[in-house]
Amino acid sequence: MDHHSLRCFVTIPKKTHFLFSFSLFLLFSFSNAAFDLATIPFNDGYSPLFGDGNVVRTTDGNGVQLLLDRYTGAGFISSNMYQYGFFSANIKLPSNYTAGICVAFYTSNGDVYEKTHDELDFEFLGNVAGKPWRFQTNLYGNGSTHRGREERYRLWFDPTKGYHRYSILWTAKNVIFYIDGVPIREVLRNEEMGGEYPTKPMSLYSTIWDASNWATSGGKYKVNYKYAPFVAEFKDLVLKGCSLDPIQEVTNGDVCEDQNIDLEAQDYAAVTPLRRLSMRRFRQKFMYYSYCYDTIRYPIPPPECDIIPGEQQRFKETGRLKFGGSHRRRSRRGGRTTIPIDETDQGDM
């Protein structure tokens, strides 16, 4: 997804643009103190979900490639479900023409709780040649798919040139989405959210699939299998949390207490002042849609929204930046409501 916000760069002299970009890079770099993460081999924590022939393990056993071709996509799933946790991977996305493709890295329990499922998403959306990948984050609790909590962004790097670490922290208190150690979104739990905050055990999933009907310009550009196979690469996988069977959740609510205390004590469980500054800068420059500012969908913002007046004035009532855009809706993945991305709304990278 290209960002409306970067259109403002067109009027900025190249030298000023370079200095701004460099200062942003430095800010992200200083906030990105490497987390102390214990990675695991693929076979120790995951198994193929679908498209087994398109799930290709690396020779060292520490990573996997997911392929999309004209016959099938592919995916993997964690071997266990977790009651809160930290889920992370170094990911490299397919290059060149990738329109219509969705690469997802997410937690869910939809296979167990079909009508009341929870979910936390990174979804990366491909593009036509010469235009950048875009991505969105989302959160669902207790089957609240009618209340999508999408935010959409651009990246400050090319995700096809090398690996970058994408992480999801999920505790009883908060959810944080990280990229390369930079927090890009935090959702703080509060009483008013009720069951719409995810609390039930979830598995970690990752998939690559054909989302031609919505992923690029609202379905205008489809997957072109002339460029197949499309390959998404994953390595240095992290699963940290309390492994829990859903039945245990009911019979023994305290089984995860010690592990959850340890999780909340980790460095990545808190947004430090420097990280919060990095998050604010990221959202100012690279977020181009927020459900919190979409007053057409939500005349009253959902209870977890932190409305920042200086940020709010940059957005239209559709939740998009004030540089154009539309508010058409289209369902995807199990009947959810979402807003397709129109590439004409966002400038080039």
Side-chain angles (χ1 to χ4, degrees):
M1 302 172 186
D2 295 339
H3 267 59
H4 299 90
S5 58
L6 294 192
R7 281 194 173 179
C8 64
F9 287 173
V10 174
T11 61
I12 298 175
K14 288 185 177 180
K15 183 177 180 180
T16 304
H17 185 184
F18 169 79
L19 290 174
F20 171 80
S21 299
F22 183 67
S23 64
L24 193 63
F25 167 78
L26 288 178
L27 179 63
F28 286 170
S29 297
F30 285 127
S31 71
N32 181 18
F35 297 139
D36 183 16
L37 303 177
T39 63
I40 60 173
F42 179 80
N43 287 343
D44 286 2
Y46 311 86
S47 60
L49 177 65
F50 69 97
D52 291 24
N54 283 4
V55 179
V56 182
R57 295 164 178 81
T58 58
T59 54
D60 63 7
N62 292 322
V64 67
Q65 295 180 338
L66 297 183
L67 281 62
L68 169 66
D69 58 30
R70 65 178 65 253
Y71 302 105
T72 184
F76 63 83
I77 183 175
S78 61
S79 303
N80 298 310
M81 302 182 77
Y82 295 85
Q83 180 70 56
Y84 306 121
F86 184 79
F87 312 93
S88 183
N90 273 324
I91 304 174
K92 182 180 179 182
L93 298 176
S95 59
N96 300 318
Y97 185 99
T98 55
I101 295 173
C102 179
V103 175
F105 182 77
Y106 64 106
T107 64
S108 179
N109 48 34
D111 292 340
V112 177
Y113 305 98
E114 293 185 7
K115 295 183 179 181
T116 60
H117 89 283
D118 305 315
E119 190 167 321
L120 299 168
D121 294 327
F122 269 112
E123 290 182 314
F124 304 94
L125 307 177
N127 216 330
V128 296
K131 292 196 174 183
W133 281 79
R134 304 124 309 144
F135 76 102
Q136 64 184 24
T137 61
N138 212 336
L139 176 150
Y140 296 103
N142 205 34
S144 58
T145 56
H146 64 290
R147 283 171 66 91
R149 291 172 160 89
E150 302 100 332
E151 289 188 347
R152 300 202 176 105
Y153 331 80
R154 284 181 28 162
L155 291 161
W156 66 95
F157 54 82
D158 184 342
T160 73
K161 298 297 186 183
Y163 288 90
H164 292 269
R165 181 164 290 283
Y166 304 89
S167 308
I168 301 171
L169 170 77
W170 169 46
T171 77
K173 301 175 181 178
N174 65 339
V175 171
I176 305 174
F177 294 89
Y178 282 101
I179 299 179
D180 287 340
V182 176
I184 65 161
R185 178 180 184 182
E186 181 181 28
V187 177
L188 295 172
R189 185 180 187 179
N190 61 47
E191 291 185 3
E192 293 182 27
M193 289 186 73
E196 293 190 4
Y197 186 88
T199 58
K200 298 185 291 294
M202 291 193 279
S203 300
L204 185 281
Y205 295 78
S206 198
T207 58
I208 184 171
W209 54 291
D210 186 330
S212 290
N213 65 325
W214 68 274
T216 307
S217 296
K220 179 179 179 180
Y221 298 102
K222 314 294 185 183
V223 175
N224 187 338
Y225 287 102
K226 178 178 72 173
Y227 300 98
F230 304 97
V231 182
E233 303 176 53
F234 302 78
K235 68 176 184 178
D236 306 323
L237 301 157
V238 176
L239 285 175
K240 179 178 175 59
C242 180
S243 175
L244 184 68
D245 186 281
I247 296 177
Q248 287 181 277
E249 180 197 22
V250 177
T251 59
N252 187 356
D254 297 329
V255 67
C256 287
E257 182 177 0
D258 290 344
Q259 293 185 63
N260 288 338
I261 290 173
D262 178 67
L263 179 69
E264 293 176 12
Q266 298 300 310
D267 179 44
Y268 46 69
V271 179
T272 64
L274 184 56
R275 288 178 189 156
R276 191 162 301 280
L277 178 60
S278 294
M279 181 166 67
R280 186 176 303 128
R281 291 288 177 85
F282 170 84
R283 295 170 69 81
Q284 285 175 349
K285 302 303 175 184
F286 298 103
M287 182 174 74
Y288 64 86
Y289 172 81
S290 173
Y291 73 102
C292 287
Y293 300 129
D294 189 338
T295 57
I296 292 179
R297 293 175 79 187
Y298 303 117
I300 299 175
E304 74 281 0
C305 287
D306 180 17
I307 303 300
I308 302 171
E311 185 175 85
Q312 184 181 29
Q313 67 183 9
R314 297 170 46 239
F315 290 85
K316 300 187 297 184
E317 62 181 3
T318 60
R320 295 179 181 270
L321 287 176
K322 293 180 177 178
F323 294 95
S326 60
H327 188 76
R328 299 165 307 192
R329 296 190 179 185
R330 185 183 300 272
S331 62
R332 65 165 177 83
R333 279 178 65 183
R336 301 177 191 167
T337 299
T338 189
I339 306 167
I341 296 83
D342 185 345
E343 278 179 21
T344 61
D345 293 348
Q346 306 116 34
D348 293 337
M349 196 74 148

